[in-house]
Amino acid sequence: MTAAWVESRLGVRLVDGPRPVGAGLADLVGLAVRRNPRRAHLLVSAVLGKHVPTDPRLVYGSGLLLGELVRARLRGEEPPGIGSLLVDAVRGVPGTAAGLRDLLRAPRRPVDAVVVGYAETATALGHSVADALGDAYYLHSTRRPVPGFAAYGGFEEEHSHATSHLLLPADPAALDRDVPAVLVDDELSTGRTVLNTIEALHAVRPRSHYVLAALVDLRGPADRDRTDALAARLGARIESVALAEGRVELPDDILEAGKRLVSDLSAPAESDGTPPAAGPGAASPAVFPVSRIDLDWPPGLPDGGRHGFLPAHRARLEKDLGRMAETVADRLGDGAARVLVLGFEELMYAPLRLAETLADTVPDADVRYSTTTRSPVLAVDDPGYAIRTRLTFPAHDDPADGPGERYAYNVAPASGRDGFDRIVLVVDGAGDTEALTGGLLRRLRALAPVLVAAIPSWRGA
């Protein structure tokens, strides 16, 4: 991944630690600069599919691999051997992303657990961990209050720009069981978020075993001591697994230096992917068509884990994924050499699974996957920086915290890079609004033909 630009300007350093599956910290993350006064840097994952369009088979395979580390810890077994598959897949060696995924989705003995993922970045990652366990109940936190669903608990993500999270299970009894609870996030920086969650869950239903699972674990000795202290106070076992460990070294003045850098490089110099304005006599920017597709989403199947996702839901989705991917492939037509499947904020898992199935269905196309996000990040069109371009548009799902900007990163072409020749935008019913048409769709149709697939927002049985 790309970290050189931030390292040279802010003095931030990635330092490798243990490599449980052969990948180092620098293999899995790059660096960018946040537009956030509480945290200057952003770790940009090479395997999450959030900010960087990524082979969806690598994204899903990495989530399954993390789930296999959880399984091994719960069952007291050795973790799976994958050789160099993960590192090779990150480096783009042909066939390795699909090979990693296929190796890890082979049938294994199911493990019962409650898996909780964190909105918005880890919603699909948590799903993938639950998939690997086979018999797990999955729920992700949400920033979207939904009428008719009572909050089971909440917690604060202290470094985030939008900190209110809710747990809204449709069936609290599925969550309220004394089985291991697995808390999944893309990174563990200090661990405060997961410890807050454990306290909230334990206050409602004490459990004997918790596992923290992350793509990268950056906690220092004091953070780990805090985890041990909580375990002792609760009388519970708290363990952790990650694909890579290490630390981020930050200079003392990082927050002020980050603010100055954002101020110096902000618009109009910042690269946001906007087509240049047409001057007198110049041709107008291209406007590509937008069309819609009916996926025939299975009736009664949740769009994700916002209100809970059961093993039976997982089996139903697997049954219909191939059919839905074929429907998309038919509409893409010939000439779709580079395709982006773009998800929507917390709606990450359904677009991911559709994208990785589409990649198998149209093997001649380069299918990539990423999602829109709330996170404000500086974009710099430099090969040593992880966020090259940024699309900015208004929120389109009537968020409870009011209107605001939303973003899609690395979707517009950067200098020296080709863009996408098809974009498949996957949204849920709550986000399929007039504001979508006048905002994000207007930005996307300046880049490529857009196919919109709307999945019904699940409201319960």
Side-chain angles (χ1 to χ4, degrees), residues 55-411:
D55 187 325
R57 295 164 295 192
L58 171 59
V59 176
Y60 191 46
S62 300
L64 293 177
L65 178 57
L66 183 60
E68 287 301 325
L69 296 185
V70 172
R71 173 199 296 277
R73 187 58 58 89
L74 291 177
R75 294 182 58 82
E77 299 173 349
E78 288 297 313
I82 61 164
S84 65
L85 265 178
L86 177 59
V87 173
D88 289 345
V90 170
R91 293 174 180 172
V93 176
T96 53
L100 176 71
R101 179 206 57 186
D102 294 345
L103 175 67
L104 293 165
R105 67 179 181 183
R108 289 170 171 81
R109 183 177 175 182
V111 176
D112 190 12
V114 165
V115 179
V116 177
Y118 288 86
E120 65 177 44
T121 53
T123 58
L125 181 63
H127 259 292
S128 305
V129 168
D131 286 357
L133 298 180
D135 200 27
Y137 168 78
Y138 179 62
L139 178 74
H140 70 69
S141 69
T142 182
R143 294 190 176 105
R144 181 192 292 173
V146 181
F149 291 91
Y152 183 91
F155 54 93
E156 294 298 310
E157 189 176 1
E158 296 176 7
H159 63 258
S160 178
H161 62 284
T163 58
S164 295
H165 289 242
L166 298 167
L167 297 177
L168 302 176
D171 179 11
L175 182 62
D176 193 16
R177 300 180 295 133
D178 188 14
V179 296
V182 182
L183 310 180
V184 183
D185 210 349
D186 56 313
E187 67 178 82
L188 290 174
S189 51
T190 65
R192 287 191 178 94
T193 296
V194 290
L195 297 188
N196 289 347
T197 308
I198 288 173
E199 294 225 56
L201 293 175
H202 207 82
V204 179
R205 176 62 158 94
R207 290 173 171 81
S208 58
H209 197 180
Y210 297 88
V211 178
L212 317 181
L215 296 174
V216 295
D217 188 345
L218 309 171
R219 293 174 300 157
D223 302 318
R224 294 173 187 270
D225 289 346
R226 192 181 304 113
T227 301
D228 294 341
L230 178 62
R233 178 160 60 84
L234 298 180
R237 185 176 169 192
I238 304 177
E239 300 183 281
S240 61
V241 297
L243 299 189
E245 298 180 26
R247 69 182 188 273
V248 180
E249 293 185 348
L250 303 173
D252 292 338
D253 64 343
I254 182 65
L255 289 179
E256 287 304 317
K259 290 178 189 175
R260 288 194 300 270
L261 190 59
V262 169
S263 177
D264 290 345
L265 294 177
S266 290
E270 188 175 358
S271 177
D272 72 348
T274 305
S284 299
V287 177
F288 293 97
V290 174
S291 57
R292 288 182 168 266
I293 186 171
D294 181 2
L295 293 176
D296 192 18
W297 186 258
L301 178 65
D303 55 297
R306 181 178 285 111
H307 306 300
F309 206 82
L310 298 165
H313 295 142
R314 198 170 299 121
R316 180 69 188 279
L317 177 61
E318 294 290 345
K319 176 178 176 291
D320 282 84
L321 271 173
R323 172 188 58 76
M324 291 188 285
E326 288 280 2
T327 301
V328 174
D330 289 345
R331 287 289 298 274
L332 290 176
D334 297 333
R338 190 162 156 77
V339 179
L340 174 66
V341 178
L342 183 65
F344 159 53
E345 295 187 26
E346 294 176 13
L347 184 72
M348 295 185 68
Y349 180 70
L352 169 61
R353 299 305 314 281
L354 184 65
E356 56 106 8
T357 309
L358 181 66
D360 294 337
T361 304
V362 285
D364 292 338
D366 180 11
V367 177
R368 299 282 160 153
Y369 157 82
S370 64
T371 81
T372 65
T373 177
R374 286 170 162 252
S375 298
V377 185
L378 183 73
V380 179
D381 191 2
D382 185 282
Y385 190 78
I387 302 294
R388 301 284 294 273
T389 64
R390 181 186 70 174
L391 297 180
T392 303
F393 53 93
H396 51 89
D397 61 342
D398 190 24
D401 56 353
E405 286 188 342
R406 301 295 184 261
Y407 312 95
Y409 296 110
N410 294 314
V411 173

